[in-house]
């Protein structure tokens, strides 16, 4: 395999809010030599933004709204001198669950994922949802059980909970020595070494390697009681869990589990060192027409995210393109499959949170930022000429709906442009009611409405007002072949509740579960879909 491809590791860190995703990301950057001091996350989150946060609104709210990309080279300490470092691409995801769709889409662009679980809280709602998406795509996952410095659940109970709630087999590859105030560190099962660390929130600390089979050595470091408990636990782990086979992980049948405390740098290096060794390099990507192999000579890629105005001083959009095959080259002409146009990119960029650099080439697994003046939509494919379409995740039927109205008649154009661009970014979904022509915005959570309003004001100088609309679900509808007249009849009868989405598809706005089930009963040849792809 081409070394540029085999050394790449493109992944996302995902978690339920507050489990420690941002802290872990920062610690990985710290180990990767990208930052010297971790911006102690939440307490300083508002004043001194964490490196992985971007937008003003995040600073205000202390949440990550947008997905940023961080990349760095990393070589584990024990790698032979002269070895080529791994190239790490971390795709950060919004911490707040109201932006879950953004996270789901990011998962289309990764080759693996690390799921962070709070050791005291165990599996939470969002963890479950994210794991479902990983399962849908057979994405290999590693689980990091965080906050072991707090009194939490028993590690064996946690592993049972993971298996049951996330429907995946697990295999611990590190093991905690105690928890809470007496937490001393983790035994690295994968490397068969005990690493003791001095807790330090800010900097890297030296690790002490201990051979647990050397008589008395473990006792001298952790005390008699903990040494005995660790030996017992490890025996039990070996008895209960099958031997770790990396192929089971790569085929998404088993999730390796690491324990630690991101805040205190416990267990993070074990995680990272093992991760780079076992995590998959770029995998084949499915297009509608065929499967695309990263080793193919010709470039192909797809847009999984669009962000407007990263730098408030330069009004611009950036489309994030995941390279799937071949080599991306600056200034080369690429086919934008949806429009049929050839495009050249003179200033493609790569990212390190707020810093971005122009690049000349990129390889499969890399994320390239392409300046966008409204050409791209999420899911667009770029190729060297072949007409093919990569498949992204469909849009899900939103949970909340509001009418959006113009609150400043002098700024109608700005509002329209703002709404268009925010929808292209996938911030929310827009439906136009065919009866009264009013625009309806559908979201996953309340916070998205606030973000839209804030961004319209700050980035587009437009003001909007929300008006309530009582809706239960928006479903995409189509009829079975030969039943077009039934569809027409349905649309006529429900004309007050019919809308179009941005691709001009018919959407039925059901105002209650009862109305929807009656419609399903009365119109047997109409299909009601809860995702936009069918
Ligand atoms: P998120 O991105 O998943 O939402 O989580 P984030 O990293 O922001 O962490 C959420 C909170 O958990 C933060 O505290 C962070 O300091 C804390 N945290 C992260 N890792 C650990 C860990 O290993 N041990 C402990 N004890 N805490 C950890 P916060 O919200 O500011 O709360 P506070 O405790 O500082 O008041």
């Amino acid at each position: 395999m081409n070394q540029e491809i085999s050394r790449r590791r493109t992944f996302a860190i995902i978690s339920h809010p507050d489990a420690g995703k941002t802290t872990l990301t920062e610690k990985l950057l710290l180990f990767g030599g990208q930052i010297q001091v971790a911006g102690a996350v939440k307490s300083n989150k508002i004043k001194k933004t964490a490196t992985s946060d971007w937008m003003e609104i995040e600073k205000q709210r202390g949440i990550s709204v947008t997905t940023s990309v961080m990349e760095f080279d990393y070589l584990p300490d024990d790698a032979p001198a002269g070895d080529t470092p791994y190239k790490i691409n971390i795709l950060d995801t919004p911490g707040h669950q109201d932006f879950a769709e953004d996270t789901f889409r990011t998962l289309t662009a990764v080759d693996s994922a690390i799921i962070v679980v709070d050791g005291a809280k165990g599996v939470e709602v969002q963890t479950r949802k994210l794991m479902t998406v990983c399962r849908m795509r057979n994405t290999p996952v590693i689980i990091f059980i965080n906050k072991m410095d707090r009194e939490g659940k028993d590690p064996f109970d946690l592993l049972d909970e993971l298996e049951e709630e996330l429907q995946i087999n697990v295999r611990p590859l590190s093991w905690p020595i105690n928890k809470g105030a007496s937490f001393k560190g983790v035994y690295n099962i994968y490397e068969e070494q005990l690493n003791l660390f001095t807790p330090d929130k800010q900097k890297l600390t030296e690790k002490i390697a201990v051979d647990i089979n050397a008589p008395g050595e473990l006792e001298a470091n952790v005390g008699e009681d903990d040494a005995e408990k660790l030996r017992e636990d490890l025996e039990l782990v070996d008895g209960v869990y099958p031997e770790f086979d990396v192929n089971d992980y790569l085929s998404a049948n088993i999730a390796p589990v690491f324990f630690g405390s991101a805040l205190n740098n416990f267990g993070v290096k074990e995680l990272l060192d093992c991760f780079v060794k076992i995590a998959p390099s770029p995998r084949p990507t499915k297009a509608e027409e065929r499967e695309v192999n990263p080793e193919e000579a010709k470039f192909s890629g797809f847009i999984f995210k669009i962000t407007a105005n990263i730098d408030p001083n330069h009004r611009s959009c950036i489309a994030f393109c995941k390279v799937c095959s071949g080599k991306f080259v600056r200034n080369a002409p690429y086919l934008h499959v949806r429009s049929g146009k050839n495009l050249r990119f003179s200033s493609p960029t790569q990212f390190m949170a707020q810093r971005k650099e122009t690049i000349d080439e990129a390889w499969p697994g890399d994320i390239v930022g392409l300046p966008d003046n409204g050409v791209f939509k999420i899911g667009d494919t770029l190729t060297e000429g072949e007409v093919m379409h990569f498949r992204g995740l469909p849009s899900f039927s939103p949970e909340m709906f509001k009418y959006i109205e113009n609150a400043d008649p002098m700024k109608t154009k700005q509002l329209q442009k703002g709404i268009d661009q925010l929808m292209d970014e996938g911030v929310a979904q827009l439906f136009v009611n065919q009866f009264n022509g009013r625009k309806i915005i559908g979201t996953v959570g309340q916070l998205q409405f606030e973000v839209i309003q804030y961004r319209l004001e700050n980035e587009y100088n437009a003001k909007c007002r929300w008006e309530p609309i009582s809706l239960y679900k928006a479903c995409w509808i189509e009829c079975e072949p030969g039943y077009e007249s039934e569809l027409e009849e349905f649309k006529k009868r429900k004309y007050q509740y019919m809308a179009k989405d941005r691709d001009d598809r018919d959407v039925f706005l059901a105002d209650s579960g009862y109305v929807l089930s009656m419609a399903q009963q009365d119109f047997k040849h109409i299909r009601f879909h809860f995702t936009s792809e069918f």
Side-chain angles (χ1 to χ4, degrees), residues 18 20-23 42 45 146-147 149-150 261-263:
D18 262 3
K21 178 177 68 68
T22 313
T23 314
K42 202 76 154 280
K45 221 171 193 173
N146 191 28
K147 306 198 187 182
D149 58 319
R150 287 209 181 144
S261 162
L263 191 64

Side-chain angles (χ1 to χ4, degrees), residues 278-524:
I278 68 170
S281 52
R283 306 198 300 168
T285 317
K286 281 203 177 83
E288 262 161 42
E289 293 78 4
R290 65 185 186 88
E291 192 168 83
V292 177
N293 200 304
E295 297 277 346
E296 290 178 24
K298 289 193 172 158
F299 161 77
S300 68
F302 69 91
I303 307 295
F304 68 96
K305 177 160 183 75
I306 297 168
T307 301
N309 307 297
I310 288 170
D311 179 354
N313 298 320
H314 303 95
R315 271 189 64 97
S316 62
C317 272
I318 290 212
F320 292 78
C321 173
K322 158 98 187 261
V323 181
C324 297
S325 68
K327 186 166 82 164
F328 173 93
V329 179
R330 184 154 80 105
N331 274 326
Y334 292 127
L335 174 68
H336 178 237
V337 175
R338 188 169 50 80
S339 67
K341 286 190 184 133
N342 268 325
L343 305 175
R344 281 172 201 272
F345 304 97
S346 58
S347 50
T349 46
Q350 276 185 352
F351 302 86
M352 174 52 222
Q354 251 174 344
R355 206 177 74 218
K356 61 182 205 285
E357 281 165 10
T358 303
I359 47 134
D360 291 323
E361 57 179 49
W363 294 91
D366 284 346
I367 309 298
V368 185
L370 305 173
D372 175 30
N373 47 15
V375 173
F376 289 118
K377 273 190 186 182
I378 284 177
D380 280 0
T381 302
L382 288 172
T383 67
E384 280 193 32
E386 185 176 345
V387 175
M388 63 174 174
H389 304 79
F390 286 112
R391 300 165 66 169
L393 270 184
S395 299
F396 296 94
S397 178
E399 311 273 323
M400 298 175 83
F401 303 87
K402 283 183 189 182
Y403 281 122
I404 185 164
E405 298 293 344
N406 188 359
D408 182 352
M410 305 298 288
K411 300 281 163 60
T412 308
K413 258 197 191 152
Q414 285 89 333
L415 184 72
Q416 189 52 47
K417 184 168 181 215
I419 294 177
D420 276 351
Q421 286 196 350
L422 293 178
M423 298 307 128
D424 278 347
E425 273 185 43
V427 171
Q429 293 179 58
L430 175 73
F431 305 102
V432 180
N433 189 320
Q434 295 302 284
F435 171 60
N436 55 21
R438 291 177 78 181
K439 293 192 172 87
I440 299 166
I441 301 280
T443 67
V444 185
Q446 171 60 28
L447 193 53
Q448 273 166 293
F449 292 113
E450 292 173 36
V451 169
I452 291 170
Q453 190 159 19
Y454 176 94
R455 291 190 55 186
L456 284 172
E457 270 183 44
N458 282 273
E459 295 167 23
Y460 300 93
N461 200 15
K463 280 200 167 63
C464 77
R465 194 178 61 238
W466 300 111
E467 286 188 12
I469 174 171
S470 163
L471 282 184
Y472 165 70
K473 272 264 182 270
C475 4
W476 287 266
I477 57 169
E478 59 164 0
C479 62
E480 289 169 15
Y483 288 92
E484 287 73 17
S485 59
E486 188 171 321
L487 183 64
E488 284 316 306
E489 171 62 22
F490 177 82
K491 291 204 288 197
K492 217 153 79 192
R493 241 205 268 169
K494 299 282 181 192
Y495 70 104
Q496 283 175 311
Y497 299 97
M498 290 309 301
K500 293 273 188 193
D501 74 0
R502 293 190 78 220
D503 295 319
D504 216 31
R505 284 177 298 195
D506 285 322
V507 176
F508 171 51
L509 308 169
D511 54 0
S512 72
Y514 176 73
V515 165
L516 180 59
S517 60
M518 285 310 286
Q520 284 167 320
Q521 244 178 53
D522 293 348
F523 294 85
K524 295 229 173 344

